[in-house]
Amino acid sequence: MSDKRGKVRTGRVEGSEVRGTGPAMAVVDVGGVITGWTAGATRLLGHRPEQVMGRAAAGLLAGGLSASALGCIRRGNECEERVTLRHRDGYGVEADVRAVPVHGIGGAAGWAVLAVRRDEAAAAVLKEWALAGLPVAVGIYDHEGQLVAINDEALRVVGMRQEDALGLRPGVLSSDHPYHEFEGLLARVLRTGRPSRMDSFVRLPGESRAHAWSAFISPLTDPAGRVRGASVASLDVTEQDRARQRLAVVNAASVRIGTVLDTVETAQQLADVATEQFADFVGVDLLDSDFREGSNLRWSAGRLAFSRAAQRSVEEGWPESPIRPGEMGRYAAESPMAQALATGMPSRHLTDDPDIRRWLEQDMAHARCLRACDVHSLIVVPLLARGSIIGLAQFLRHQTPDQFGADDLLLAEEITARAAICIDNARRYAHERDTALALQRSMLPQRTPPHPAVTVASRYRPTDSRAGVGGDWFDVIPLSGVRVAFVVGDVVGHGIQASAIMGGLRTAVRTLADVDMPPDELLTHLDDVVLRLDREEDWEATGPGEREAGEIGATCLYAVYDPISRRCTIARAGHPAPAVVGPGGTVEFPELPAGPPLGLGGLPFESTELEIPDGVTIAMFTDGLIESRDRDADAGLAWLSGVLSNSATTPLEQLCDDVLDSLLPDTPADDAALLLVRPQALPTSQVATWDLPADPEMVAQARRLASDQLDEWGLEETAFITELVVSELLTNAIRYGLPPIQLRLIHENTLICEVSDTSNTAPHLRRARVFDEGGRGLLLVAHLAQRWGTRHTPSGKTIWAEQILPKAL
């Protein structure tokens, strides 16, 4: 049956007459008596066959027939009438009744009366119209997989007429893979009775481009549960698929962009993410700082300079752009890129837009590339971070047939905005890191002046992590008596603040070392310095009592080597112990009292004294050298021992490089400092020592002893000044000190005169009045010597004065 008002095309459907679902029909003889009754009639009026057979058909009418209907019956013609029938339960049933004459062998035999409930008929028509008008492609297949019904939308997308499509199998429509896959799924649904779904991206014959489709295949079963066919509803989900793709791009951008603090790599992450499911080419340009002043752009000869930081294409060799990564370029003033930078607003364009054509007429290099690749649309988005334009991102399409739309522009803005912040963060990090590194290197000794007691070499390797440069430091400090101090430290934290704190601690160590403090006392005073810095930081940051102390801390290793006694005194504050390499290559880590880290306060520090024979190398380092992401401290120390064990004859500079190359990765997770020291003893021939009684008459003899020693060293020219210095220092010790008294001369690059006694009272300079008998001795020494000072010893004190030798003047 086909209604002229309907749009659904149908073919043969096998098994349409099924028991219990047939039409409501009765057979009435010429006398008006019911002689036949179907199950459909029972369903409509509720009467069973035995209840109505042999009864007058007129008894089923709730009202009479119209005159026209009666006339048709009298004439024996087919007729149709809308009547009200009486249900077995007494209520009326409106129905459309059709009476068709039935002729037997001898003539008229009666009437076949077909009744269709009025609401059922209307519903059937509405269903037919709804199916025909659905914007969803619908097809119905019989149990053999042949198309028996199809609506107009399905005919449109397959590009066929109804008479050509009916009776075909899906695989006949096209030889493409999706059609054969669909036919296999249809056969499985018809065989198993289980619904299925198929998603595909294909260009159907009636479409100009490929679409994303979701086909829902549902079985059609009779009341007995037998599969008689299948219905297929195919939805165009292209927009939903694009929305999923856009969401996937946003998710990928949030996860993959900004994982490193490097401007070029971050720009490349943007290009990589955007070309996977969004654009066919992406170029990321950064404005050179010389052409960027806040949010104002500087132009040169009508063009704006930029550097191509990154780009990616779906094709090899970036054919869409005449510029390569790392190259400099300029935007013409009429280009969409320049306009986007000038306005700060993103834009999308078609290559045949008048503005784009005018730009390409002036920029032949870009014109050749865009036309060679058949680029049809583009998006340009400024990189805007914290109110400043730092660059631009370009998105092109040529292989993707769809032009960029409004939603695509929003997507490009979103991922570009994230990339811009990450690129700006990387720039700020690089600037801060460079500043901190420059500050730190300015505070670290670049070259250690030659010293008669030691040979040293050092290295500092900053971290490449986003945490920033740390507060590692080392220093070599000359002390009185040809002694030398070594220090290695590590400030907690990273960045400029850590570098500044490191500078303060390094200065404090030098100041404390200058007054010849023993290592344990020096660390005690340095601990007080850290506590004071922490309290000051607490007050300035939040006010008193609002922040717990202890956020500023450090570790430190401090050692003093005496080349005359060949002994080294070491103390540490939470720092790794040094490695001592013997002449035979044996490596030991001496057991030193660990001491608390600096900044805890109230805990003592202890010193340990080591004897240093000739040929020993001492390695002092921070924990960044021995610890890493995949190696703990013990494993690092074992590795360090292996490198140092074969270093007896290796030059220290080469040994520094060997240690760093062996223990540190290309991108260390923490800063590392290394200080290598090879102590050497001072020859006994360069030292003269005399024990003297506390007798003023011994001053003259001491001058003669000193003069004779200077003659032996060939330093006669210094005799006059040296005798004055010896006289003043010795007189001061006899008058104010306690015996025993010792005089020592040390000849190295300078001439050092030392007088020691057992008193702890330190002398000091004062201005003598006109009639004072004393008070001028130390003032005279201060004028005659290059340097002078006092150091405390376990048995008392030593006053020393250092002169420059004539040949060094």
Side-chain angles (χ1 to χ4, degrees):
M1 179 178 70
S2 176
D3 194 318
K4 293 181 180 180
R5 296 170 297 174
K7 298 294 183 180
V8 179
R9 277 67 170 182
T10 61
R12 176 181 59 84
V13 181
E14 183 176 321
S16 61
E17 294 182 4
V18 182
R19 181 181 301 177
T21 61
M25 189 173 68
V27 179
V28 182
D29 63 12
V30 292
V33 177
I34 298 174
T35 60
W37 190 259
T38 65
T42 299
R43 180 174 57 82
L44 178 64
L45 297 179
H47 298 284
R48 293 192 298 273
E50 63 270 18
Q51 294 175 333
V52 294
M53 296 285 285
R55 290 177 53 184
L60 299 177
L61 295 174
L65 296 175
S66 64
S68 60
L70 293 174
C72 287
I73 293 174
R74 285 195 298 269
R75 291 191 295 274
N77 295 333
E78 177 181 342
C79 66
E80 293 184 7
E81 178 81 354
R82 178 166 294 172
V83 299
T84 301
L85 301 176
R86 182 177 292 109
H87 194 272
R88 176 186 175 186
D89 295 333
Y91 61 84
V93 177
E94 292 189 4
D96 292 328
V97 176
R98 184 179 183 183
V100 180
V102 179
H103 298 280
I105 298 177
W111 302 84
V113 181
L114 179 68
V116 179
R117 190 167 181 167
R118 183 179 177 186
D119 54 353
E120 290 183 351
V125 173
L126 289 175
K127 289 179 182 178
E128 187 176 348
W129 289 350
L131 182 63
L134 277 178
V136 178
V138 179
I140 299 176
Y141 294 85
D142 63 14
H143 71 288
E144 295 179 352
Q146 294 179 342
L147 185 67
V148 296
I150 187 172
N151 70 348
D152 286 351
E153 178 64 15
L155 287 173
R156 184 189 68 80
V157 298
V158 299
M160 301 181 69
R161 295 180 301 174
Q162 178 263 343
E163 55 269 24
D164 297 329
L166 293 178
L168 298 180
R169 296 178 181 275
V172 179
L173 295 176
S174 175
S175 60
D176 291 345
H177 172 71
Y179 294 92
H180 289 282
E181 182 182 354
F182 172 75
E183 186 169 338
L185 288 177
L186 175 63
R188 187 172 68 183
V189 171
L190 293 172
R191 183 177 67 255
T192 64
R194 292 193 296 269
S196 185
R197 171 179 173 171
M198 175 181 169
D199 295 316
S200 61
F201 189 82
V202 63
R203 188 183 75 84
L204 296 175
E207 298 286 340
S208 60
R209 58 183 177 85
H211 285 241
W213 297 92
S214 287
F216 299 88
I217 309 172
S218 303
L220 301 177
T221 59
D222 60 20
R226 292 173 297 191
V227 179
R228 296 295 185 174
S231 66
V232 179
S234 298
L235 302 178
D236 185 349
V237 293
T238 303
E239 289 304 319
Q240 295 91 324
D241 188 65
R242 289 176 181 170
R244 284 193 297 269
Q245 289 182 1
R246 287 192 285 267
L247 181 59
V249 172
V250 172
N251 290 337
S254 64
V255 172
R256 293 166 51 186
I257 297 178
T259 58
V260 295
L261 286 172
D262 181 85
T263 55
V264 173
E265 192 168 348
T266 303
Q268 189 61 52
Q269 289 173 341
L270 170 61
D272 293 343
V273 168
T275 50
E276 290 179 357
Q277 302 185 60
F278 179 63
D280 297 325
F281 171 84
V282 178
V284 183
D285 302 328
L286 298 180
L287 298 179
D288 188 83
S289 58
D290 293 337
F291 294 86
R292 184 168 54 90
E293 297 178 348
S295 59
N296 299 320
L297 303 177
R298 293 173 52 188
W299 296 80
S300 175
R303 293 175 176 267
L304 186 65
F306 67 89
S307 173
R308 176 61 51 88
Q311 63 186 24
R312 185 171 181 179
S313 171
V314 295
E315 298 186 1
E316 294 291 336
W318 311 295
E320 303 90 342
S321 175
I323 302 174
R324 296 296 180 261
E327 294 182 355
M328 295 293 297
R330 293 182 181 274
Y331 297 131
E334 61 274 5
S335 66
M337 289 76 74
Q339 296 302 315
L341 291 174
T343 61
M345 299 296 294
S347 59
R348 60 186 175 97
H349 310 270
L350 302 179
T351 52
D352 57 359
D353 288 345
D355 293 341
I356 301 301
R357 289 202 301 268
R358 283 193 295 271
W359 162 52
L360 294 179
E361 288 174 359
Q362 303 297 324
D363 194 336
M364 298 306 298
H366 276 90
R368 285 192 297 269
C369 292
L370 298 185
R371 290 165 184 165
C373 296
D374 292 328
V375 174
H376 55 72
S377 58
L378 66 151
I379 287 177
V380 290
V381 183
L383 294 170
L384 185 64
R386 299 176 177 90
S388 177
I389 296 176
I390 63 175
L392 183 91
Q394 306 176 41
F395 306 87
L396 310 182
R397 277 185 179 174
H398 48 84
Q399 287 190 7
T400 303
D402 295 334
Q403 299 172 349
F404 284 119
D407 291 338
D408 296 322
L409 181 61
L410 293 176
L411 173 61
E413 285 186 77
E414 185 169 353
I415 63 175
T416 302
R418 174 177 178 81
I421 294 296
C422 294
I423 290 173
D424 190 58
N425 288 342
R427 277 185 164 181
R428 289 170 178 263
Y429 164 76
H431 176 71
E432 180 177 337
R433 184 177 185 275
D434 292 343
T435 302
L437 193 57
L439 175 62
Q440 189 173 40
R441 285 179 171 167
S442 68
M443 296 178 179
L444 294 177
Q446 302 302 311
R447 289 182 300 173
T448 303
H451 195 282
V454 292
T455 303
V456 299
S458 60
R459 293 291 186 274
Y460 169 71
R461 178 76 61 84
T463 177
D464 287 334
S465 71
R466 66 176 59 195
V469 177
D472 295 20
W473 92 92
F474 57 87
D475 208 348
V476 179
I477 308 171
L479 301 177
S480 63
V482 203
R483 297 171 306 126
V484 62
F486 319 111
V487 58
V488 174
D490 186 359
V491 174
V492 175
H494 294 80
I496 293 179
Q497 183 183 22
S499 296
I501 295 172
M502 178 272 288
L505 294 183
R506 178 174 181 265
T507 302
V509 169
R510 279 189 162 264
T511 302
L512 295 172
D514 193 51
V515 295
D516 273 316
M517 278 193 175
D520 53 346
E521 292 186 24
L522 183 142
L523 292 182
T524 300
H525 285 278
L526 195 61
D527 186 45
D528 293 338
V529 172
V530 174
L531 287 173
R532 185 167 59 254
L533 288 174
D534 191 38
R535 287 192 296 268
E536 292 174 355
E537 183 74 16
D538 179 27
W539 181 277
E540 294 176 2
T542 60
E546 297 183 14
R547 185 179 73 97
E548 293 185 4
E551 292 189 8
I552 295 179
T555 64
C556 184
L557 176 67
Y558 184 77
V560 175
Y561 172 66
D562 187 343
I564 298 176
S565 65
R566 295 187 176 182
R567 303 194 70 82
C568 184
T569 306
I570 308 176
R572 61 176 178 148
H575 201 85
V580 179
V581 186
T586 58
V587 180
E588 296 180 357
F589 296 91
E591 292 291 336
L592 305 178
L598 301 174
L600 298 184
L603 298 174
F605 299 94
E606 299 180 40
S607 296
T608 300
E609 195 171 78
L610 304 177
E611 185 173 353
I612 307 298
D614 289 337
V616 167
T617 301
I618 301 176
M620 304 169 67
F621 47 86
T622 57
D623 58 4
L625 181 70
I626 57 175
E627 296 181 10
S628 65
R629 299 183 183 94
D630 54 356
R631 185 181 65 220
D632 59 18
D634 291 338
L637 291 175
W639 200 309
L640 177 62
S641 297
V643 179
L644 295 177
S645 61
N646 300 315
S647 62
T649 60
T650 305
L652 290 187
E653 294 292 339
Q654 178 63 44
L655 184 56
C656 278
D657 294 334
D658 293 344
V659 170
L660 265 61
D661 293 343
S662 298
L663 273 74
L664 294 183
D666 294 335
T667 56
D670 193 10
D671 291 29
L674 173 66
L675 179 64
L676 296 181
V677 179
R678 278 188 180 153
Q680 52 200 30
L682 194 66
T684 56
S685 60
Q686 294 180 245
V687 180
T689 305
W690 301 276
D691 293 323
L692 302 173
D695 186 351
E697 294 182 358
M698 294 301 300
V699 175
Q701 183 180 351
R703 288 199 298 266
R704 288 193 299 272
L705 292 173
S707 179
D708 293 342
Q709 185 63 52
L710 293 178
D711 291 342
E712 184 178 338
W713 286 338
L715 301 177
E716 298 85 354
E717 296 180 18
T718 64
F720 177 73
I721 295 178
T722 304
E723 289 181 12
L724 288 177
V725 171
V726 168
S727 178
E728 294 300 331
L729 294 183
L730 193 57
T731 300
N732 189 76
I734 293 173
R735 179 176 296 181
Y736 302 106
L738 296 174
I741 297 174
Q742 184 183 81
L743 170 64
R744 184 167 71 171
L745 295 181
I746 304 172
H747 172 214
E748 234 307 317
N749 296 329
T750 60
L751 178 63
I752 302 171
C753 177
E754 296 182 345
V755 174
S756 303
D757 65 79
T758 58
S759 171
N760 291 319
T761 303
H764 58 278
L765 289 175
R766 66 183 179 89
R767 183 177 297 278
R769 294 180 175 85
V770 176
F771 299 104
D772 287 347
E773 296 181 359
R776 297 178 178 83
L778 288 182
L779 184 61
L780 180 61
V781 171
H783 282 286
L784 294 176
Q786 179 191 16
R787 297 189 306 147
W788 79 279
T790 303
R791 67 174 180 270
H792 290 275
T793 65
S795 59
K797 69 175 182 298
T798 298
I799 305 175
W800 57 271
E802 182 177 345
Q803 303 174 53
I804 299 178
L805 298 178
K807 62 181 180 181
L809 292 176

